[in-house]
Every structure is written in C-alpha cells, then in structure tokens.
Amino acid sequence: MTWQVHFDLARMLIADREREADRIRLARLATDDVRAHDDSPSVGLVRRAGARVALGAGRAAVRLASALDAEATRLA
C-alpha cells in the first residue's frame, strides 16, 4: 500500500511541475519575452527522461508490492 501512495505522490508532483512550467511558458509568450530562459534546452529533456525512468521504476515497484501482497494474502 505504501508503494501506491509514493507512486501517486510522485505522479502528482510531476503533474504540478508540468503545470507550473506550462504557466511560465504561457506567461513568457504573452509578454513576448524573447530572452533565453535556459541556455540548454536539452536539460529539460534530461529531466523529463529521468522523471519517466523514476515513474517506470515506481510502477514496477507497485506491481511487485501488489504481487507480494496478493501472495501473502493467499498464503495466510
């Protein structure tokens, strides 16, 4: 059960960060801000890739914990 809570929390945090990034991008577009906010756009790609890996690991952990819980329940 705790894996599911951690997985949901991570998913909510990632969604919050994405919403905040979208809000900042829209604000910059609205004000026609042309200065570079990030010297390297690949940094965002690396962060998103890392988040996807963490999300995948979380999902795998949730599946494993669920399987172990089901097995323990079956044996009890």
Side-chain angles (χ1 to χ4, degrees):
M1 191 65 174
T2 59
W3 286 105
Q4 184 67 39
V5 172
H6 290 291
F7 174 72
D8 289 340
L9 179 62
R11 202 171 54 191
M12 287 187 306
L13 289 172
I14 290 169
D16 286 343
R17 295 275 175 121
E18 287 177 352
R19 279 193 297 275
E20 180 66 16
D22 288 342
R23 187 192 62 75
I24 291 170
R25 274 189 230 106
L26 287 174
R28 285 190 176 142
L29 284 173
T31 60
D32 217 14
D33 190 0
V34 293
R35 61 191 169 105
H37 60 85
D38 191 3
D39 294 336
S40 174
S42 65
V43 171
L45 294 174
V46 171
R47 286 182 182 164
R48 283 193 296 275
R52 285 187 186 111
V53 168
L55 192 60
R59 285 180 179 159
V62 167
R63 285 193 300 267
L64 176 63
S66 296
L68 291 174
D69 186 43
E71 184 66 21
T73 302
R74 187 181 66 81
L75 293 175

